[in-house]
Amino acid sequence: MIIEPTAKIRGINGFAERIAIGDNTYIGHHVEIICNDFEIGDYCKVHHHTNVHGYQKCKIGHNAWIGQYCILDCIGGLTIGNNCGVGAHSQLWSHIKYGDTLEGCQYLSEKEMKIGNDVWFVGHCIVSPITAEDKSMALVGSVITGDMSFNSIYAGVPAKNITEKVGHPFKDIDQTSKFHQLKQHLVESKIDKSKIQIVMNNSDFYWDDEVSYFSIADRQYTKKRSIEEIAFMNYLLPEKAKFTPVDPI
């Protein structure tokens, strides 16, 4: 991992209770992570001047891409799945508070935000404490105040579902086509093919050798931390393919 020297990682009042940062993850300049319990997976990028803060747990999965000047608020709790993108200058808020309750202000709440897998906030998005289902997407400048449905696309202020107008973010691709496409990526990467094997599903995995196996159907790989494996993952990310490590049996 790389943590730039100007980044700050700590708890709310001093040392954090738990900080877990995955392999090959990058934390950029002037990033501030102020959480008592923070977890981020492998191959993530948190770019400069991003702020992560809050009292509750913040958990971010593998292969995340967090653009510069983002705000990730976990006062109400924040969970972001695998393979998610949060574009530059976006803000994810899990609470609302400021007006005096003694004076009758009725706007005071904290709610966990749950972001599924393969979700993408394109950039300059402002997000309330919603649930975003897998493969949902919000276009640039969206203000999201309601939940986002599976494989749907949103835009506007407030954001509305425009999937019927523009189509789904993800199309269906058959497993055989994916297999041959990933094989072609391996060829084009010019990485030693004896250390990387493409298979159809996890049942074809082997753990007793030095080969890293990549499963098409399960989008997982056997993590061996070899030079070739890391090079192949970096070649695939962020737009060719995303895989997450599977635990050994």
Side-chain angles (χ1 to χ4, degrees), residues 83-87 90 115-123 125-127 130-156 158-164 166-171:
N83 314 319
C84 290
V86 181
S90 293
I115 308 301
N117 298 319
D118 298 289
V119 175
W120 185 13
F121 301 107
V122 173
C125 292
I126 299 177
V127 189
I130 63 161
T131 295
E133 295 183 6
D134 293 354
K135 297 184 176 180
S136 56
M137 176 180 178
L139 296 184
V140 65
S142 297
V143 176
I144 302 102
T145 59
D147 293 345
M148 298 168 62
S149 300
F150 172 78
N151 200 20
S152 297
I153 191 165
Y154 293 78
K160 296 182 179 180
N161 191 329
I162 61 170
T163 308
E164 289 187 4
V166 301
H168 295 280
F170 288 79
K171 65 179 182 180

Side-chain angles (χ1 to χ4, degrees), residues 42-62:
D42 296 348
Y43 293 97
C44 296
K45 294 186 183 298
V46 183
H47 288 282
H48 64 83
H49 290 90
T50 284
N51 177 275
V52 184
H53 68 272
Y55 318 130
Q56 303 299 322
K57 182 176 181 177
C58 178
K59 181 178 181 180
I60 302 172
H62 301 292

